[in-house]
Amino acid sequence: AHPLTPDWVQDAVFYQIFPDRFARSGRVTGLNLQPWGDPPHFHRYMGGDLWGVIEKLDVLRNLGVNALYFCPVFQSASNHRYHTHDYYQVDPMLGGNEALRHLLDEAHARGMRVVLDGVFNHASRGFFQFNDLLEQGEASAYRDWFHVQGWPLQPYDDTRPANYAAWWDNRALPKFNTTHPAVREFLWDVAEYWIRFGIDGWRLDVPNEIDDDSFWQEFRRRVKRLNPDAYIVGEIWGDAHRWLQGDQFDAVMNYHFTRPCLAFFGARTLNHEMNERSGMGRVDPMSAEAFAARMTEVTQMYHPEIVRAQLNLLDSHDTARYLSAVGGDATAHRLALTFQFTYPGAPCLYYGDEIGLPGGPDPDCRRAFPWDESVWDHATRNHVRTLAAARHASPALQRGDFTVTHAQGEGLVFTRPHASGTAVIAMNCAHEAADLPAPDLHMPGGEAGTYTDVLSGQTFDLSGGVVRVPARGSVVLLRA
Amino acid sequence: AHPLTPDWVQDAVFYQIFPDRFARSGRVTGLNLQPWGDPPHFHRYMGGDLWGVIEKLDVLRNLGVNALYFCPVFQSASNHRYHTHDYYQVDPMLGGNEALRHLLDEAHARGMRVVLDGVFNHASRGFFQFNDLLEQGEASAYRDWFHVQGWPLQPYDDTRPANYAAWWDNRALPKFNTTHPAVREFLWDVAEYWIRFGIDGWRLDVPNEIDDDSFWQEFRRRVKRLNPDAYIVGEIWGDAHRWLQGDQFDAVMNYHFTRPCLAFFGARTLNHEMNERSGMGRVDPMSAEAFAARMTEVTQMYHPEIVRAQLNLLDSHDTARYLSAVGGDATAHRLALTFQFTYPGAPCLYYGDEIGLPGGPDPDCRRAFPWDESVWDHATRNHVRTLAAARHASPALQRGDFTVTHAQGEGLVFTRPHASGTAVIAMNCAHEAADLPAPDLHMPGGEAGTYTDVLSGQTFDLSGGVVRVPARGSVVLLRA
C-alpha cells in the first residue's frame, strides 16, 4: 500500500496538552484539588479542564499552534488519565463530553485540529468489564476480556501476585485480551465513536504491546473509512518499520528526533542524572558531524511522505522537559526549537516549553501552566512564535527535502530544497559567532540571491560563500 | 402540602421486571452467560436485555399490563444491578441507552408507563468517583463523596475492616456522603436526566437510608418540575408516614399489603422456613376477621389519594415468590391475585407470577422467564388477564373506597363503593362452597339489582342477601 498520510500534518504545528495541568476554568466544582502550581504529585489532581483549554485557544493560535494533541481525556481515576475507566466519557473533571464538543467546535472554527490519546492496550481496575471480574469472579460475563491466571483476582493486594496480565506488571492496568472478538469490536468502536464525534486523529499509547498487525490494520480501515484525513500516530520509541508500511499508522512520535537534539544542542550542559531517570535514558553528547549523520539517517528511515508527517518532539509527559534535561540552558533549548521547526515533520511543543517551564522526570514534567505572564520566558516564547510563523509561511520548511551541507564541531548548515524556493538553516552551538560555509547555491534546488533571516529580520547575501551565525544562535534563511 | 399523586397510577397494572431474567433478544453477544433457565446463581448472568423486553411488550399488553417497573438497569457489575457502576448508562448487556430509548418509545406507543429503580444511597466499588478513592487514596478528587474511616481503603480484603461506610456493612456498596453538595447535585442530576430521557417515575431503593428529608424534598421538586406526572415510590417496608406527607414520595412499595395476603390466603399451606429466609420473615396464619381488620387499617394509614397510588405487591425480587411462599398452592395464589386486583392501590405483578413460576428466596425468585408456553400455568394467567381487564373497566376497582361487610373464618366480603357503581367482592378460602352474606345494598353507595361476576361470567342477584362463592374461590361482582 502507498503510505498516504494526511496532508494537513505537514502544515501542522502541534501543541501537546496534559489536561489536568494546562488551564482550569473553575466551572467544575466540589473537587478535592491541590492548589494550581503546587509541585506535581503522582496522585493529586490540579483540576485543569477542557473549558479552560477553550479559554486559551486564542493564546495558542497567536503562538502559531494549529493542532492540539491531548494526553488522555477519558474518564479515569488518575491525574494522567492513562487508567481508562470509561472510553465513551470525557472525564467529568474535564467537563465531560459537552466540554469536548465545545472544544472541537471552537478549535475547528480556528482552523485547529485535535488529536486524542488512545489507550487501547489496557484498561483500569475500575473499567466496567474488568470490574465485573473483580466483583463476580469466574461468573463474570466478561471473563474472557482479560488474561486471567487464577481466581480470585488480587487487584489491590500488592503482597500477592496480581494473577492477571497487566502492562509492565502494573496491576492497575489490566491488559485487554485483544484476540477476543468482542474486545476487538469494543476497541474499534471506541476509535470510530470519537472520529464520528469529530476528532482529527488518534495518538496511540504503547501500540506495540498489541502484538497483532491485523488489529491495527482494521483499526486503520475503520478510522480512515470515516475520515480519510484522520491522523494515526503511534507511540513507538524504537524502529517503527513494522507499523509504517501504509496499512497501520501514518507516523510515530519521533523519539529518534529527540535524542540527537538533546545530544547536540545540549552537549555542553546535559543533565545526565535527570535523563537517566526519565524515559530518555542515558544521552551522550554528540558532535555536529555525528548529529548531521544521524538526522540525515532519520529522514531516510521511512517513506518521505511519512517522514514529513512524523511527530517531532523535544520532550513529552514521559521525559524530563528539554530545558531541564539540558541543565536549564534556555539558549540550547532555543537552538533545539529552531531545529525542530526547520526539520521535516510536524513540530510538537509540549505545553509550557514555549514559556520556559522547567521540569524533571514524571511527575515534575507535568507542572501546572503558570498563567502569570510575568514569570514567562518571553524570549523563548517569541522565538517559538517566530519559528511557527516562518514554518506556516514556507513550503520549503513544511515540505522541503533535508540536505546537510556542513557539519563540523559545533557548526551545522542544512537546506530544505523545495520547488517553491530553498530554505537555508545555519546553526552555531559555539560560544563565539562563526562564519559557516554557505551551501552551494548552484546545486540542484539551490538558488543564488538575497535571503532574509526570519529570526533576526536581517538580509543575507549568500553569494560570498559564508553565513555569519551568532554565538549559540541560528539563522533561518528564506528567499527575500 | 396536599399529597397529590399521579392520576395514572390509580389506573395502572404494574409488572415488575428483573432485567437479566425476563427475555433475551440475543442481540448482545460475546458474553459469558449461564444457559437461559438454569438455576439462578448469585453471581452468574443469564443475559436478559431490554431488546428482549421490547419483543414481549405485546404479550404484556395482552395480559393487561400498562406499567412496567424495572429493577435497576444502569451499568452494574452484578446480575441484579444494585451495584451501580454508572448512573448515566444503561448496562451494555441490556442494550445500553439506545435500547432504553426504543423501549420507552415502544412502551409509550402502547400506553404503557415505565418506572426505573433508583439506587441512590450507595454506589459500587467500580463506580467512578469511589474507584478514584481506591486508586488515589487520600489524594482522590472525590475523597469527600464517601464516608472514609481510614486509609488505605480495603475494598476486596474481607479479612480487614472495610474502613468506609457501606450499606449493611457490605463493602461492595459504599454509601454516598449525601451531605456533600456535589454528591447531592450528582444524584439529583441523575434523577432529572432520566426523567428528561422519558421515564415515568422512580422506584427508590432503600430511601430511608438517606436519613435526610431535605434530600428527598429537593429530589421530588426537581422530578416533578420536569414531569408533574412522574411517580415516586419508595421502598419502605415499615411505617412510611415520614415520607408520605406530600413533599417526598407519592407512595411506597406496600409490603403492609403483602404480609396479610400471605397470612390469610396462604394460611393452610404457608412455607414458614422459606419465608423466614426471605425478606418477609416469619408469617403466621390469619383469620378473615384479622385480615379484614388489618387490610381496613392499611387503607386508612395514609391520605386516600396515596392509598390509591400505593404499589401493592404479593412478592418481589426480595422475597420468595408468593406461589412458593404458600407451599405451591396455585389456588391460594389466585385468591391473593383476586384480592390484589380488587383492593385500593396499583397491583404490581412480579414477572412470571402470572404463569405460575415458582421460586424461593433470592436467588431462586429470580429465575429466567420460561418462554415455552407449554409449561405455563394458563389458569393463573387467564385469571390475571381477567382481573386486569375488570380493573381497567371498573372505576370502582380503581378508585372506590374499601368497606368490609363480612369477615368470618375463611369468608370475606367487601365492597368498593364508587359514584359510578359499587363493586362487590366475595372470597371463600374454605374447601367447600359457601353462601356468604351479601352486603346491604341499601347502604350509602350500595345499589340493588343484578351483578355480573367477572371471573365466571355468571349473573348474580344480590337481593336474596347471600352470595354463593365456590370453594377456594371468589366472585368479583360489577353492575351488569
Side-chain angles (χ1 to χ4, degrees):
Chain A
H2 178 60
L4 279 170
T5 60
D7 196 56
W8 63 266
V9 177
Q10 304 185 24
D11 305 329
V13 171
F14 273 93
Y15 192 86
Q16 179 186 351
I17 290 177
F18 190 86
D20 191 56
R21 305 290 157 74
F22 181 61
R24 189 172 69 201
S25 72
R27 288 172 64 145
V28 185
T29 57
L31 302 166
N32 172 40
L33 302 174
Q34 48 171 173
W36 193 259
D38 269 17
H41 186 278
F42 282 114
H43 292 287
R44 299 220 161 97
Y45 297 88
M46 291 198 201
D49 60 71
L50 299 188
W51 298 114
V53 176
I54 294 170
E55 292 171 4
K56 303 302 182 187
L57 284 179
D58 286 330
V59 175
L60 297 177
R61 184 171 61 168
N62 173 267
L63 186 63
V65 169
N66 63 358
L68 304 175
Y69 142 39
F70 282 92
C71 283
V73 300
F74 303 137
Q75 186 166 293
S76 170
S78 55
N79 59 34
H80 48 71
R81 299 196 170 88
Y82 280 95
H83 300 189
T84 315
H85 185 275
D86 189 329
Y87 287 84
Y88 290 99
Q89 302 299 321
V90 172
D91 199 290
M93 204 191 299
L94 295 178
N97 291 8
E98 183 194 1
L100 181 61
R101 173 78 276 142
H102 281 263
L103 172 64
L104 289 173
D105 293 345
E106 294 292 330
H108 290 163
R110 289 167 175 79
M112 300 168 89
R113 311 270 178 162
V114 177
V115 170
L116 296 189
D117 201 334
V119 187
F120 296 123
N121 176 66
H122 45 262
S124 75
R125 291 177 281 212
F127 173 70
F128 176 58
Q129 283 83 354
F130 185 76
N131 192 243
D132 197 59
L133 273 71
L134 301 186
E135 296 289 325
Q136 307 305 333
E138 286 189 73
S140 170
Y142 305 99
R143 197 179 56 186
D144 303 323
W145 280 45
F146 298 90
H147 303 274
V148 175
Q149 293 138 6
W151 303 98
L153 301 186
Q154 297 297 341
Y156 287 101
D157 183 351
D158 288 340
T159 66
R160 306 187 207 181
N163 61 17
Y164 53 90
W167 182 74
W168 286 26
D169 292 331
N170 179 344
R171 74 183 72 214
L173 300 172
K175 181 172 168 60
F176 279 114
N177 174 10
T178 50
T179 67
H180 191 293
V183 172
R184 295 164 82 86
E185 284 297 333
F186 174 84
L187 295 172
W188 292 331
D189 187 68
V190 170
E192 292 180 294
Y193 179 84
W194 293 107
I195 292 289
R196 275 195 216 97
F197 196 85
I199 69 168
D200 300 292
W202 284 108
R203 178 269 188 186
L204 300 172
D205 187 61
V206 298
N208 53 310
E209 302 272 353
I210 299 179
D211 185 15
D212 178 347
D213 291 340
S214 70
F215 178 87
W216 292 117
Q217 286 161 351
E218 178 67 8
F219 181 94
R220 180 187 181 87
R221 273 192 293 274
R222 296 202 183 197
V223 165
K224 296 284 187 176
R225 189 184 305 144
L226 291 170
N227 180 5
D229 257 356
Y231 183 39
I232 301 176
V233 55
E235 183 205 12
I236 302 288
W237 290 60
D239 183 274
H241 279 88
R242 173 177 173 184
W243 297 278
L244 295 178
Q245 299 301 308
D247 60 346
Q248 296 188 48
F249 310 155
D250 293 316
V252 296
M253 293 184 78
N254 198 0
Y255 283 105
H256 288 305
F257 166 90
T258 314
R259 171 177 292 275
C261 284
L262 285 164
F264 178 52
F265 302 111
R268 292 167 175 269
T269 53
L270 277 170
N271 184 333
H272 292 293
E273 185 271 333
M274 182 177 282
N275 284 322
E276 280 164 23
R277 281 192 295 119
S278 91
M280 290 314 299
R282 173 80 186 179
V283 178
D284 285 314
M286 214 177 224
S287 67
E289 294 91 326
F291 179 75
R294 178 60 183 155
M295 295 318 294
T296 299
E297 190 178 35
V298 168
T299 62
Q300 294 164 352
M301 288 177 75
Y302 310 113
H303 187 286
E305 194 171 335
I306 288 175
V307 169
R308 292 195 297 268
Q310 291 280 68
L311 196 71
N312 292 340
L313 64 161
L314 292 174
D315 49 13
S316 73
H317 62 291
D318 278 333
T319 69
R321 285 189 181 268
Y322 189 95
L323 176 62
S324 298
V326 298
D329 181 346
T331 304
H333 185 205
R334 287 193 285 269
L335 284 164
L337 286 162
T338 301
F339 189 75
Q340 184 185 28
F341 277 78
T342 58
Y343 185 73
C348 182
L349 295 161
Y350 182 52
Y351 83 100
D353 278 359
E354 78 276 19
I355 54 146
L357 188 63
D362 174 19
D364 194 41
C365 58
R366 304 170 179 187
R367 296 188 195 178
F369 194 103
W371 286 103
D372 172 4
E373 297 185 15
S374 72
V375 305
W376 292 5
D377 173 352
H378 289 278
T380 296
R381 188 167 190 277
N382 289 337
H383 185 65
V384 168
R385 189 163 51 185
T386 301
L387 287 165
R391 190 173 171 98
H392 289 312
S394 167
L397 292 180
Q398 294 166 331
R399 291 175 166 75
D401 292 336
F402 176 79
T403 306
V404 175
T405 62
H406 169 80
Q408 194 180 338
E410 297 186 295
L412 175 74
V413 183
F414 62 95
T415 62
R416 301 291 313 280
H418 188 264
S420 68
T422 296
V424 177
I425 298 92
M427 310 193 69
N428 172 23
C429 296
H431 277 250
E432 293 175 4
D435 288 322
L436 301 181
D440 175 2
L441 300 169
H442 299 100
M443 69 185 177
E447 307 99 37
T450 304
Y451 285 73
T452 300
D453 173 21
V454 300
L455 298 178
S456 65
Q458 290 184 324
T459 301
F460 280 70
D461 182 347
L462 297 186
S463 58
V466 296
V467 190
R468 184 157 194 88
V469 188
R472 292 188 73 68
S474 317
V475 296
V476 176
L477 303 176
L478 303 180
R479 278 297 293 273
Chain B
H2 179 61
L4 277 170
T5 61
D7 196 56
W8 64 267
V9 178
Q10 304 186 22
D11 304 329
V13 172
F14 273 93
Y15 192 85
Q16 181 187 352
I17 289 177
F18 189 86
D20 191 56
R21 306 290 158 76
F22 181 61
R24 188 172 69 200
S25 71
R27 289 172 64 146
V28 185
T29 58
L31 303 166
N32 172 41
L33 301 175
Q34 51 171 171
W36 193 258
D38 269 16
H41 186 279
F42 282 115
H43 293 287
R44 301 220 159 97
Y45 297 89
M46 291 198 201
D49 61 73
L50 299 188
W51 298 113
V53 175
I54 293 169
E55 293 171 4
K56 303 303 182 188
L57 284 179
D58 286 330
V59 175
L60 296 178
R61 184 171 61 169
N62 173 268
L63 185 64
V65 169
N66 64 357
L68 303 175
Y69 143 39
F70 283 91
C71 284
V73 299
F74 302 137
Q75 186 165 294
S76 169
S78 54
N79 60 35
H80 48 69
R81 301 196 168 87
Y82 280 95
H83 300 189
T84 315
H85 184 275
D86 190 329
Y87 286 85
Y88 290 98
Q89 302 298 321
V90 172
D91 198 290
M93 202 191 301
L94 295 178
N97 291 8
E98 182 193 359
L100 181 61
R101 171 78 278 140
H102 283 263
L103 173 65
L104 289 173
D105 292 345
E106 294 292 329
H108 291 163
R110 289 168 175 78
M112 300 167 89
R113 311 271 178 160
V114 177
V115 170
L116 296 188
D117 201 334
V119 187
F120 297 123
N121 177 65
H122 45 262
S124 75
R125 290 177 283 210
F127 173 71
F128 176 58
Q129 283 82 354
F130 184 76
N131 192 243
D132 197 59
L133 273 69
L134 301 187
E135 296 290 325
Q136 307 305 334
E138 287 189 73
S140 171
Y142 306 100
R143 197 178 56 186
D144 303 324
W145 280 45
F146 298 91
H147 302 273
V148 175
Q149 292 138 7
W151 302 98
L153 301 186
Q154 297 298 340
Y156 287 101
D157 183 352
D158 289 340
T159 67
R160 306 188 208 181
N163 60 17
Y164 52 90
W167 181 74
W168 283 28
D169 291 332
N170 179 346
R171 74 182 73 212
L173 300 173
K175 181 172 168 60
F176 278 114
N177 174 10
T178 50
T179 66
H180 190 292
V183 173
R184 296 164 82 85
E185 284 296 333
F186 175 84
L187 295 173
W188 292 331
D189 188 68
V190 170
E192 292 179 294
Y193 180 84
W194 292 107
I195 293 288
R196 275 194 214 98
F197 196 86
I199 69 168
D200 300 292
W202 284 108
R203 177 269 188 189
L204 300 173
D205 187 61
V206 297
N208 54 309
E209 302 272 353
I210 300 179
D211 186 15
D212 178 348
D213 292 340
S214 70
F215 179 87
W216 293 117
Q217 286 161 350
E218 179 66 8
F219 181 94
R220 180 187 181 88
R221 273 192 294 271
R222 296 202 183 196
V223 164
K224 297 283 187 177
R225 189 184 305 146
L226 290 169
N227 180 4
D229 257 356
Y231 183 40
I232 301 174
V233 54
E235 183 204 11
I236 301 288
W237 291 58
D239 183 274
H241 278 90
R242 173 176 172 185
W243 299 277
L244 295 178
Q245 299 300 310
D247 60 345
Q248 297 188 48
F249 310 156
D250 293 315
V252 295
M253 293 184 78
N254 197 0
Y255 283 105
H256 288 305
F257 166 90
T258 313
R259 171 177 291 276
C261 285
L262 284 164
F264 177 52
F265 302 111
R268 290 165 174 269
T269 54
L270 277 169
N271 184 333
H272 291 294
E273 184 271 333
M274 181 177 283
N275 285 324
E276 279 164 22
R277 281 191 297 119
S278 90
M280 291 312 301
R282 173 82 186 177
V283 178
D284 286 313
M286 213 176 224
S287 67
E289 293 90 328
F291 179 75
R294 178 61 183 154
M295 296 317 293
T296 299
E297 190 178 36
V298 168
T299 62
Q300 293 164 352
M301 288 177 77
Y302 310 114
H303 187 284
E305 193 172 335
I306 288 176
V307 169
R308 291 194 297 269
Q310 290 281 68
L311 196 71
N312 292 339
L313 66 160
L314 292 174
D315 49 14
S316 74
H317 62 291
D318 278 334
T319 69
R321 283 188 182 268
Y322 189 94
L323 176 62
S324 299
V326 298
D329 182 346
T331 304
H333 185 204
R334 287 193 285 271
L335 283 165
L337 285 162
T338 301
F339 188 75
Q340 185 185 27
F341 277 78
T342 57
Y343 185 74
C348 182
L349 295 161
Y350 182 53
Y351 82 101
D353 279 359
E354 77 278 18
I355 54 146
L357 187 64
D362 175 17
D364 194 40
C365 57
R366 303 169 181 189
R367 296 188 194 180
F369 193 102
W371 286 103
D372 172 3
E373 297 185 14
S374 71
V375 305
W376 291 6
D377 174 352
H378 289 279
T380 296
R381 189 167 190 278
N382 289 337
H383 185 65
V384 168
R385 189 163 52 187
T386 301
L387 287 167
R391 189 173 172 96
H392 289 313
S394 167
L397 292 180
Q398 294 166 330
R399 291 176 166 71
D401 292 335
F402 175 79
T403 306
V404 175
T405 61
H406 169 79
Q408 193 178 336
E410 297 187 293
L412 174 73
V413 183
F414 62 94
T415 62
R416 301 293 312 281
H418 188 263
S420 68
T422 295
V424 177
I425 297 93
M427 310 192 69
N428 172 23
C429 295
H431 277 250
E432 294 174 3
D435 288 321
L436 300 181
D440 175 2
L441 301 170
H442 299 103
M443 69 182 177
E447 307 98 37
T450 305
Y451 283 76
T452 299
D453 173 20
V454 300
L455 298 179
S456 65
Q458 289 185 325
T459 300
F460 281 70
D461 183 346
L462 297 186
S463 58
V466 295
V467 191
R468 185 157 193 88
V469 187
R472 291 189 72 69
S474 316
V475 295
V476 176
L477 303 176
L478 303 179
R479 277 300 292 273

